[in-house]
Amino acid sequence: MSGEAKRTVAALPGEGVGEGMPAHVAIIMDGNGRWAARRGLPRFEGHRRGVEAIRRAVRTAGDLGIRYLTLYSFSAENWRRPAQEVSDLMGLLKRFVRHDLADLHAGNVRVRIIGAREGLAPDIRPLLDEAEQLTQGNTGLTLVIAFNYGGRQEIVRAVQALARKVREGGLDPEAIDAAALEAHLDTAGIPDPDLVIRTSGEQRVSNFLTWQTAYSEFVFIPDFWPDFDEATFRAALDEYFKRERRFGGLSARAV
């Protein structure tokens, strides 16, 4: 990057877009419960404040010209949490769709949902479908919500779909390659993340975008998710700008 392009994101105006801005940022939103516990508050309050952080992240991504923002909202393993907490999370999801969908639509944001939908409660799946259908024609930021999502489970579903095509005679096994598998993932048509951010100081991917993050850059930050704001987002992007992505090749300096 040129000296001019190395300006920090923090120095960019809200509507500015720096050279090399990642097209796709994915975030593992972690630490709601610990944020609440440190303040002597119920876990629900941490989740509620986490929704406010989502709004800030979406606004910042749109302002900076990021094309795709993927948020890990509810994993396939989160069903193991206490029933009351799961119920609270479902309630927040319903409120978010009902209260924020109109604003997202007005802001030209397209919503896509990834994850398994089979077996979801009858009052949840229609909300997910509505969010996608209402915003499908929008051309601004694509907000990808990973709900009831697991990276390994996604790959299994893709392999099963390919296996059915082989069994039915519509696909030669020798024709199966990486592109064929990607076409059957939940994220078909979405570029792989350039940057993955995880909050709360944890340093693992937790079954998130297992296939898609093979060459992503990772930034782990100590802040709990409810404290994630525009400054934190921009600081993570500044760290990304320092990286030299080689995708298995040599750096320009080594050639």
Side-chain angles (χ1 to χ4, degrees):
M1 297 173 66
S2 67
E4 176 63 23
K6 287 181 180 177
R7 295 178 303 165
T8 63
V9 180
L12 293 172
E15 69 279 3
V17 180
E19 180 183 336
M21 184 68 68
H24 184 177
V25 176
I27 305 180
I28 302 173
M29 306 180 294
D30 194 19
N32 289 348
R34 280 169 285 168
W35 181 92
R38 290 193 180 184
R39 291 162 176 76
L41 299 170
R43 289 178 64 86
F44 174 78
E45 182 60 19
H47 294 311
R48 190 189 69 79
R49 292 290 293 270
V51 172
E52 296 176 8
I54 289 175
R55 296 185 181 112
R56 294 193 294 268
V58 171
R59 182 169 58 250
T60 300
D63 287 345
L64 290 174
I66 293 168
R67 291 169 47 217
Y68 296 86
L69 176 67
T70 297
L71 303 177
Y72 202 8
S73 68
F74 192 86
S75 78
E77 290 76 26
N78 283 158
W79 297 106
R80 302 171 187 167
R81 294 190 176 189
Q84 183 57 55
E85 182 170 358
V86 171
S87 177
D88 289 341
L89 288 168
M90 294 303 106
L92 284 172
L93 170 68
K94 287 186 253 187
R95 267 180 252 166
F96 180 78
V97 172
R98 288 168 181 158
H99 297 165
D100 289 63
L101 184 57
D103 288 339
L104 292 172
H105 184 43
N108 199 28
V109 174
R110 182 184 181 187
V111 177
R112 279 191 58 175
I113 313 294
I114 60 173
R117 302 197 192 183
E118 295 76 12
L120 292 178
D123 61 339
I124 294 294
R125 182 162 181 169
L127 289 177
L128 305 182
D129 294 340
E130 176 189 357
E132 288 190 315
Q133 292 166 8
L134 177 64
T135 64
Q136 63 184 348
N138 292 342
T139 58
L141 171 71
T142 295
L143 174 62
V144 184
I145 303 294
F147 178 80
N148 193 27
Y149 175 85
R152 289 180 173 180
Q153 292 90 329
E154 176 189 30
I155 294 171
V156 168
R157 290 196 300 274
V159 170
Q160 288 172 338
L162 290 168
R164 284 192 292 270
K165 290 185 176 181
V166 171
R167 182 182 61 194
E168 295 164 0
L171 180 64
D172 183 346
E174 299 302 320
I176 298 174
D177 56 11
L181 181 61
E182 288 173 353
H184 290 79
L185 293 174
D186 297 353
T187 53
I190 298 173
D192 292 342
D194 301 293
L195 169 64
V196 178
I197 302 169
R198 180 166 187 155
T199 59
S200 87
E202 303 291 349
Q203 298 186 20
R204 56 181 179 271
V205 297
S206 297
N207 202 20
F208 181 52
L209 299 178
T210 309
W211 175 280
Q212 299 88 339
T213 56
Y215 284 101
S216 301
E217 296 294 326
F218 285 79
V219 173
F220 300 103
I221 60 177
D223 309 62
F224 294 132
W225 176 247
D227 290 327
F228 192 89
D229 57 14
E230 180 177 346
T232 313
F233 202 157
R234 288 172 176 254
L237 291 168
D238 285 341
E239 177 60 32
Y240 169 82
F241 276 7
K242 298 174 185 176
R243 310 283 178 85
E244 185 174 6
R245 306 184 73 197
R246 297 187 295 275
F247 301 97
L250 296 176
S251 69
R253 291 190 297 269
V255 175

